[in-house]
């Protein structure tokens, strides 16, 4: 079984709809991240969480919210989806080593299309 | 400001040819650097990472990268490319509590 799973893998929705993307991990990592990937722009950080009680905005958090329900679960919500949120969304986890971040482990991605 | 630049958006090489993907970074202290690969329809997989020590690091799938502080570079290399190496490659640097990714280089391999 995959260490980092994302559901759904693909989603089509309409403008104005609320949608939630879910991420679960079995790696036991405290740190979790949500990124979006757009062609030519690479990966951009939306939100990150260093533990269940810690949520931080990334560089492009507007229009998004997150919930860290447990160490293993980190959900991303689009309260009112808009077409420019069409993208590939990745969840990732990491296990910090000393004062620095360790390798990030990525889920398979969720492809979202907002019509 | 912390940043990562991958100057080549697309690269095409013939199978069996050598490969070098460029990565330049801007970071105030000693950087922690990574290369990830994204195969079509897949998530990102770590190829290799540099934290300290030997500036030539070996990774999976026959890849290596060399850290050159004087040039602020961390280029990825492979002596002989296989068709299965066709993918998108991302360089990343550890920023303040998060990663900063480059925009990626898409590799096409000709048979």
């Amino acid at each position: 079984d995959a260490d980092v799973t994302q559901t759904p893998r693909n989603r089509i929705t309409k403008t104005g709809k609320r949608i939630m993307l879910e991420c679960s991990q079995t790696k036991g990592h405290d740190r979790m991240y949500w990124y979006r990937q757009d062609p030519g722009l690479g990966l951009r950080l939306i939100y990150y969480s260093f533990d269940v009680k810690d949520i931080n905005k990334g560089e492009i958090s507007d229009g998004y919210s997150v919930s860290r329900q447990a160490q293993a679960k980190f959900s991303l919500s689009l309260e009112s989806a808009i077409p420019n949120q069409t993208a590939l969304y990745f969840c990732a986890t990491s296990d910090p080593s000393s004062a620095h971040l360790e390798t990030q482990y990525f889920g398979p991605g969720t492809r979202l299309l907002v019509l | 400001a912390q940043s990562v630049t991958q100057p080549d958006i697309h690269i095409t090489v013939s199978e069996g040819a050598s490969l070098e993907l460029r990565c330049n970074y801007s970071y105030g202290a000693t950087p922690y650097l990574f290369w990830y690969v994204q195969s079509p329809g897949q998530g990102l997989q770590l190829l290799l990472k540099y934290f300290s020590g030997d500036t030539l690091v070996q990774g999976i799938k026959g890849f290596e990268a060399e850290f050159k502080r004087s040039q602020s570079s961390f280029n990825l290399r492979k002596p002989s490319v296989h068709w299965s190496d066709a993918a998108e490659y991302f360089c990343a640097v550890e920023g303040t509590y998060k990663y900063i990714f480059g925009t990626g280089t898409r590799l096409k391999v000709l048979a």
Side-chain angles (χ1 to χ4, degrees), chain B residues 61-81:
Chain B
K61 305 184 180 185
F63 285 92
E64 66 178 25
E66 186 171 13
F67 171 63
K68 293 185 177 180
R69 183 187 302 274
S70 61
Q71 298 178 18
S72 298
S73 69
F74 188 56
N75 294 348
L76 182 71
R77 302 194 294 247
K78 187 170 185 178
S80 178
V81 170

Side-chain angles (χ1 to χ4, degrees), chain A:
Chain A
D1 290 337
D3 295 320
V4 184
T5 57
Q6 293 183 233
T7 55
R9 293 294 311 277
N10 296 279
R11 180 72 182 267
I12 300 174
T13 192
K14 294 182 179 181
T15 297
K17 294 292 187 180
R18 183 180 187 275
I19 183 171
M20 178 181 288
L21 309 183
E22 298 186 342
C23 177
S24 296
Q25 53 114 347
T26 58
K27 300 190 74 67
H29 290 170
D30 286 328
R31 297 184 175 187
M32 298 187 74
Y33 310 80
W34 275 105
Y35 293 91
R36 66 176 280 176
Q37 183 183 19
D38 300 277
L41 296 179
L43 277 77
R44 293 181 292 167
L45 184 64
I46 306 172
Y47 271 95
Y48 60 104
S49 170
F50 281 177
D51 63 42
V52 175
K53 298 180 181 179
D54 177 77
I55 302 289
N56 303 280
K57 292 182 177 180
E59 58 186 306
I60 54 164
S61 60
D62 288 349
Y64 301 95
S65 62
V66 291
S67 173
R68 186 80 184 268
Q69 301 95 322
Q71 185 202 40
K73 297 184 181 297
F74 192 37
S75 301
L76 176 71
S77 293
L78 287 67
E79 296 300 326
S80 179
I82 55 177
N84 76 0
Q85 291 177 313
T86 293
L88 183 56
Y89 290 85
F90 286 106
C91 175
T93 73
S94 71
D95 182 19
S97 173
S98 71
H100 296 278
L101 297 176
E102 261 290 349
T103 302
Q104 291 201 349
Y105 297 87
F106 285 82
T110 294
R111 191 169 295 278
L112 177 65
L113 173 61
V114 182
L115 301 176

Side-chain angles (χ1 to χ4, degrees), chain A residues 37 90 100 102-104, chain B residues 32 36 38 49 90 94 99:
Chain A
Q37 183 183 19
F90 286 106
H100 296 278
E102 261 290 349
T103 302
Q104 291 201 349
Chain B
Y32 284 22
Y36 285 84
Q38 183 182 22
K49 59 188 177 184
F90 292 93
E94 177 203 310
Y99 286 77

Side-chain angles (χ1 to χ4, degrees), chain B residues 51-65:
Chain B
F51 284 169
S52 63
D54 192 347
T55 56
L56 184 64
V57 294
Q58 302 297 319
I60 62 171
K61 305 184 180 185
F63 285 92
E64 66 178 25

Side-chain angles (χ1 to χ4, degrees), chain B residues 24-59:
Chain B
N24 295 99
Y25 66 88
S26 173
Y27 193 75
T30 300
Y32 284 22
L33 296 157
F34 305 80
W35 273 101
Y36 285 84
V37 60
Q38 183 182 22
S39 298
Q42 303 296 316
L44 278 72
Q45 180 184 22
L46 179 70
L47 283 176
L48 48 78
K49 59 188 177 184
Y50 170 76
F51 284 169
S52 63
D54 192 347
T55 56
L56 184 64
V57 294
Q58 302 297 319

